[in-house]
Amino acid sequence: MLQTLNVNAGGMTNRDAMLGELEKQLEGRKFPLVLDDVWKERNEVSNRWDDFKTRLVRISKNNGNAIVLTTRSEEVASIVETSTNHRHTVNLLSDDECWSIMKERAFGSEATSIPSNLEGIGKEIAKKCGGVPLAAKVLGGTMGFRRDEEAWLLIQNNNVLNASYKKENIESILKLSCDHLPSKLKQCFASCTMFPKDFEFEKEELIWLWMAEGFVVPSSEDEGTKYFNALLQNYFFQDVVRDEYGNIGKCKMHDLVHDLALSLSKYETLTLKNCSTTDDISSARRLYVDCQNATTSVAFPKGGSKKLRSLYMNGVVFDGSWKLKCLRTLKLKGANIEKVPSSIGKLKHLRYLDVSDTGIKVLPESITKLYNLQTLRFLWC
């Protein structure tokens, strides 16, 4: 019986822990293991790969087990391949195929009636995609924001598209696309770094968080949906999950896109693991604290944190002693708490509160003092 095993390394602190979980899930099974989009190119990759294969052999010696690895790096391919006969090189797209993707992304149903001057510029831009579909999709989405000759010429003449190495070229294209985003969309995009890599966003929740931070103007879910769709069009979101009616429910960000968003946030986003309090959070605007296995609370500076606007705590004890008067979003989802302290009523600017998946049964009366609260979530509690 075919099964899909999802080994999530997001909450694991080291490679041995991840391999241990992999051993546990695959022991005695016959499996095809897919490793997608591998980029690592350091000197130790070869030794790590040999160690990884040894662990897999120890897990199961069944005949028929296989590893399928995808990469855009020739060096990675040469390290991991068992034989050149087993390598399959996917052909790059032609310039015309890249242009076909780009014009569909930029014009949609109107792609059959593009002005001749724009088509000429578009075909020149398509040559700089290097035959990579992701590059064509991202550039096409960017060109769709402004469909005029001046904007397209700026893209065509931008030197960042001349990077020779494929990974650098894709990163340059993503950066170029980000530079062309309207300021409000840039803020929404940067705020996604509040969550770790490979995190699965809920579209609805993401829009609520944007609204809470004041990024969506006018503040409405319909307007927020437009923002989301614009970022999706630019391929900043991927792995879209739809419901039975075709509505988008969840999505993720590619690692390269997440890195770009992190650089855009100017280090205003901070992630703490295992309740570490040694990091300087004085300049943090968004804070993600992951303490799933901890029982202690997080210590904030005595004077509080005046810049902090969003706080997401995964498995953290909340004692209500924090001076976070400017906080707009507070996610206590999965936190080890049974009640919300009455001091929460002091968070006058709070617009979003999530107490889902906690032991909370009753909210304090002071919750009525949160006059700016827009969204209250309490699923599974």
Side-chain angles (χ1 to χ4, degrees):
M1 184 176 183
L2 183 62
Q3 292 181 319
T4 299
L5 301 177
N6 181 18
V7 180
N8 186 357
M12 300 183 185
T13 58
N14 56 60
R15 182 168 54 101
D16 287 337
M18 184 182 68
L19 289 175
E21 180 64 19
L22 191 64
E23 286 187 21
K24 179 180 176 181
Q25 297 226 28
L26 296 181
E27 186 176 6
R29 297 174 181 265
K30 181 179 290 187
F31 58 84
L33 181 63
V34 179
L35 306 175
D36 186 39
D37 200 13
V38 178
W39 274 112
K40 297 294 185 181
E41 296 186 12
R42 299 173 183 171
N43 294 331
E44 67 267 21
V45 167
S46 181
N47 292 334
R48 287 189 175 186
W49 179 250
D50 290 339
D51 179 44
F52 182 62
K53 285 195 298 183
T54 301
R55 298 283 288 266
L56 289 179
V57 170
R58 193 167 65 200
I59 292 171
S60 175
K61 297 182 180 180
N62 289 335
N63 292 327
N65 292 342
I67 301 173
V68 178
L69 182 145
T70 67
T71 181
R72 282 169 264 179
S73 166
E74 288 286 340
E75 184 174 350
V76 171
S78 64
I79 291 173
V80 304
E81 66 185 356
T82 55
S83 169
T84 54
N85 295 330
H86 295 155
R87 183 192 296 195
H88 174 67
T89 302
V90 179
N91 294 328
L92 296 174
L93 300 180
S94 66
D95 293 341
D96 287 340
E97 288 170 328
C98 285
W99 169 234
S100 178
I101 292 174
M102 291 166 61
K103 66 181 181 181
E104 192 280 329
R105 299 284 293 183
F107 286 89
S109 59
E110 303 174 19
T112 56
S113 56
I114 299 176
S116 57
N117 63 323
L118 290 184
E119 184 161 8
I121 300 171
K123 288 184 176 180
E124 288 300 313
I125 297 175
K127 294 178 181 178
K128 299 188 176 186
C129 292
V132 179
L134 175 61
K137 291 177 180 179
V138 171
L139 282 175
T142 302
M143 293 157 68
F145 276 118
R146 284 187 56 190
R147 296 181 289 189
D148 60 79
E149 184 173 340
E150 180 182 0
W152 284 27
L153 283 173
L154 285 175
I155 296 175
Q156 178 187 342
N157 298 326
N158 198 303
N159 291 329
V160 302
L161 298 182
N162 297 327
S164 57
Y165 179 47
K166 291 176 184 176
K167 183 183 177 184
E168 292 176 354
N169 182 254
I170 293 171
E171 290 175 337
S172 299
I173 289 173
L174 288 170
K175 178 65 168 60
L176 175 65
S177 180
C178 182
D179 289 342
H180 281 75
L181 289 175
S183 59
K184 290 296 182 182
L185 284 182
K186 285 183 180 179
Q187 290 177 316
C188 292
F189 176 51
S191 71
C192 294
T193 58
M194 182 176 175
F195 304 101
K197 288 184 178 181
D198 203 39
F199 186 89
E200 192 171 48
F201 303 105
E202 291 182 39
K203 173 191 171 183
E204 190 176 46
E205 181 186 27
L206 200 56
I207 292 173
W208 289 337
L209 292 173
W210 292 342
M211 291 170 58
E213 284 222 45
F215 299 151
V216 179
V217 181
S219 184
S220 70
E221 290 189 38
D222 287 342
E223 189 68 19
T225 298
K226 293 179 183 178
Y227 285 28
F228 179 90
N229 290 338
L231 292 173
L232 181 65
Q233 178 185 343
N234 269 45
Y235 222 69
F236 289 128
F237 298 138
Q238 64 173 25
D239 295 343
V240 171
V241 178
R242 298 178 183 270
D243 62 20
E244 57 184 316
Y245 303 105
N247 300 313
I248 297 175
K250 298 180 179 181
C251 63
K252 291 183 178 182
M253 293 176 71
H254 191 282
D255 284 357
L256 293 178
V257 176
H258 190 280
D259 289 342
L260 174 62
L262 194 59
S263 67
L264 188 67
S265 69
K266 299 178 181 179
Y267 303 101
E268 291 183 340
T269 301
L270 182 62
T271 299
L272 300 181
K273 295 285 187 180
N274 299 322
C275 289
S276 171
T277 57
T278 58
D279 298 89
D280 180 13
I281 69 167
S282 59
S283 62
R285 184 183 179 93
R286 305 174 194 91
L287 179 63
Y288 180 96
V289 186
D290 188 356
C291 301
Q292 296 185 59
N293 300 318
T295 57
T296 58
S297 59
V298 178
F300 281 85
K302 292 182 179 180
S305 181
K306 297 180 180 180
K307 292 186 177 181
L308 196 64
R309 297 294 182 271
S310 295
L311 177 60
Y312 183 4
M313 300 187 297
N314 188 13
V316 184
V317 174
F318 176 62
D319 61 12
S321 63
W322 307 336
K323 297 179 180 180
L324 307 173
K325 293 182 179 180
C326 296
L327 202 65
R328 294 192 174 189
T329 70
L330 177 60
K331 287 177 61 66
L332 301 174
K333 183 177 180 180
N336 184 22
I337 55 176
E338 295 183 355
K339 66 178 182 178
V340 175
S342 60
S343 58
I344 195 171
K346 297 179 180 180
L347 304 180
K348 301 297 184 181
H349 297 283
L350 197 65
R351 298 180 181 179
Y352 179 96
L353 175 61
D354 186 355
V355 295
S356 298
D357 197 22
T358 64
I360 295 172
K361 296 180 180 179
V362 179
L363 292 173
E365 187 176 349
S366 62
I367 200 81
T368 59
K369 297 181 180 180
L370 302 178
Y371 303 121
N372 291 304
L373 194 65
Q374 298 172 336
T375 306
L376 173 62
R377 302 191 79 190
F378 47 90
L379 304 174
W380 311 297
C381 72

